[in-house]
Amino acid sequence: MKGSHTMQQADYDEIRRNLIFKQNNILGLAVVVFNISLFLSAVYFFSLNSAWSYWFSQLLFALHFNHSYILVHETSH
C-alpha cells in the first residue's frame, strides 16, 4: 500500500530500549496535600462563626469536593 507507515520490529525495539520510566510520586502527593489543605481550611473558616467566614468556607468546601470528584473521575479512566 502506497503511503502506509508501518514500524519495523527493529525500530520498535530501539525506541523501547531508549524509553526510561521512573516512578515519581511527588506530584501525586502534592495533589493529595492540596486537597486535604482545602478541606482543613474550609473547616477552619467554618468554625470562626462569622458570616464572611461561613461563605468563604462554603467556597472552599465546593472547591474541595469538586477537586475530589475530579481526582476520582480521572483515576477511573
Side-chain angles (χ1 to χ4, degrees), residues 14-68:
E14 180 66 27
I15 291 171
R16 186 166 174 143
R17 267 193 302 276
N18 292 324
L19 292 176
I20 300 170
F21 295 103
K22 291 183 182 176
Q23 188 174 3
N24 185 352
N25 293 326
I26 298 299
L27 183 59
L29 182 62
V31 168
V32 170
V33 168
F34 174 75
N35 203 29
I36 291 171
S37 67
L38 271 177
F39 179 74
L40 293 176
S41 298
V43 169
Y44 171 75
F45 282 107
F46 185 77
S47 70
L48 291 180
N49 294 327
S50 69
W52 75 269
S53 67
Y54 170 78
W55 290 110
F56 189 64
S57 73
Q58 297 308 296
L59 175 69
L60 292 177
F61 276 127
L63 290 172
H64 163 71
F65 289 122
N66 187 293
H67 192 250
S68 296

Side-chain angles (χ1 to χ4, degrees), residues 6-19:
T6 59
M7 182 180 290
Q8 301 299 319
Q9 184 67 37
D11 296 334
Y12 172 79
D13 291 338
E14 180 66 27
I15 291 171
R16 186 166 174 143
R17 267 193 302 276
N18 292 324
L19 292 176

